[in-house]
Amino acid sequence: MNYYNDQTLIYLNGEFVKAAKATTDLYGQSLHYGYAVFEGIRAYNTQNGPRIFKADEHYERLKKSCELVHIPYPFIKEELIDATYSILSKNKLKDAYIRPLVYCGPNMSLTRAEQVNIMICAWEWGAYLGDKQIRACVSSFERPNPKSIMVEAKVSGHYVNSIMATSEAKSKGFDEAILLDMKGFVAEAPGANIFIEKDGRLLTPPKGNILPGITRETVFEICRSLEIEVAEQHFTAEDLKSADSAFLCGTAAEIIGIASIDDEIYPLSWHESLGSVIQQHYKNLVIEKDNFGVII
Ligand code: PMP
């Protein structure tokens, strides 16, 4: 996949520069230790023009992630949001995935960062896991213990765990992995949160061992507006397999149904499931379908 070409512009420390010409310091602390923080955001081509979905929430999480791992954050949210809209228009992108990254300067010691950089890039990207239901498996990898890492921070180095789990799942012929936490409860997918449906209600793991996703929060909002019962509750791999249906949610994955876990196929067809109702509402929400003419 080509993420950029000779013309692509990125935002780098306050300036718009060509992606192909931008460089980084090979002695940077982020490159060596995974000590960087990032976001994954989407923009949609709505009837009101290209709109970044939940821009405030994503840039607030970027700041919170930096604070949690002591990376300085000398940036102003409104300026970053403006810069992101400029990146979209300069690159003529309407539907796009946006990747802000805060990374540290040269420092080979294991001390907190002093010098930081920010880059924002964007590219056209379809649904991360496709738009069909996926086949998932329970991973042999666990999510990192929250006593070892700042689980609520979106830190680059944490994603080695995600890469291990995804590659294991794919090497076994599955589309995606589901990871348990260190107590054996279902936690999340490598880059998405999980909901299961059981007896007409939804369950999702509580905060503590997961990245509390912005899409997960949007699912709660949709459930409130549709009066769908949803609870944050621990459940096991056995509960996951004996559910009626299940889905993943995340900015990149959006809402995607799970057809099976290991070899257990869910009894509810996707179109009968609550996940499918939520998927439809999510699609309408991001393109502001019910909000035509409202400029936010
Ligand atoms: N969990 C993990 C580990 C993730 O990487 C992501 C993607 N950011 C999510 C959950 C979903 O978060 P969001 O809905 O904010 O994209």
Side-chain angles (χ1 to χ4, degrees), residues 16-282:
F16 297 95
V17 298
K18 289 235 164 108
K21 296 267 161 58
T23 58
T24 186
D25 193 316
L26 291 177
Y27 292 74
Q29 213 180 9
S30 300
L31 197 56
H32 288 256
Y33 306 124
Y35 188 39
V37 153
F38 68 99
E39 265 307 316
I41 313 176
R42 267 192 195 273
Y44 292 90
N45 188 18
T46 77
Q47 291 140 310
N48 297 314
R51 281 282 185 278
I52 302 170
F53 187 63
K54 301 224 164 170
D56 275 2
E57 287 85 343
H58 282 283
Y59 280 108
E60 275 157 21
R61 186 169 66 187
L62 187 69
K63 180 170 186 228
K64 186 178 158 201
S65 294
C66 284
E67 285 167 357
L68 283 170
V69 296
H70 313 302
I71 292 179
Y73 189 87
F75 312 114
I76 294 163
K77 183 176 73 182
E78 288 71 22
E79 286 180 11
L80 296 181
I81 295 176
D82 284 352
T84 310
Y85 273 109
S86 298
I87 281 295
L88 294 178
S89 64
K90 285 178 192 296
N91 291 297
K92 300 188 175 51
L93 290 166
K94 290 179 175 154
D95 280 301
Y97 183 80
I98 300 154
R99 170 54 58 83
L101 173 73
V102 176
Y103 63 99
C104 309
N107 180 5
M108 286 297 119
S109 51
L110 300 175
T111 51
R112 60 171 67 186
E114 280 162 18
Q115 193 245 320
V116 285
N117 306 278
I118 187 161
M119 80 88 122
I120 306 173
C121 59
W123 63 91
E124 237 175 77
W125 217 24
Y128 176 62
L129 293 166
D131 54 7
K132 307 225 164 36
Q133 278 185 280
I134 57 158
R135 294 175 58 244
C137 63
V138 175
S139 183
S140 73
F141 291 94
E142 282 177 3
R143 288 301 286 165
N145 187 322
K147 287 186 177 165
S148 311
I149 57 151
M150 289 299 186
V151 70
E152 297 205 356
K154 208 166 158 52
V155 174
S156 298
H158 297 177
Y159 283 81
V160 177
N161 170 259
S162 298
I163 291 171
M164 299 308 288
T166 303
S167 26
E168 181 194 59
K170 288 194 185 288
S171 73
K172 289 181 173 170
F174 293 97
D175 302 311
E176 190 53 299
I178 308 295
L179 290 87
L180 307 183
D181 65 23
M182 74 282 174
K183 290 194 176 139
F185 292 116
V186 172
E188 59 186 332
N193 293 115
I194 185 164
F195 284 76
I196 59 170
E197 174 178 350
K198 186 74 186 168
D199 301 328
R201 65 198 281 265
L202 295 178
L203 295 180
T204 194
K207 291 184 190 180
N209 298 315
I210 59 167
L211 184 83
I214 290 164
T215 320
R216 175 180 179 272
E217 208 52 54
T218 308
V219 170
F220 291 147
E221 288 162 21
I222 294 172
C223 286
R224 269 196 296 279
S225 75
L226 298 179
E227 297 185 2
I228 294 172
E229 201 185 327
V230 57
E232 293 177 82
Q233 199 177 297
H234 286 298
F235 54 86
T236 63
E238 283 65 42
D239 299 327
L240 172 66
K241 290 179 191 178
S242 62
D244 301 330
S245 75
F247 63 90
L248 297 180
C249 68
T251 302
E254 304 176 312
I255 310 286
I256 181 84
I258 304 175
S260 58
I261 303 280
D262 294 339
D263 289 323
E264 302 285 334
I265 298 170
Y266 285 118
L268 273 190
S269 78
W270 178 242
H271 294 289
E272 295 169 313
S273 72
L274 289 172
S276 147
V277 175
I278 288 169
Q279 184 184 54
Q280 199 49 53
H281 278 259
Y282 187 79

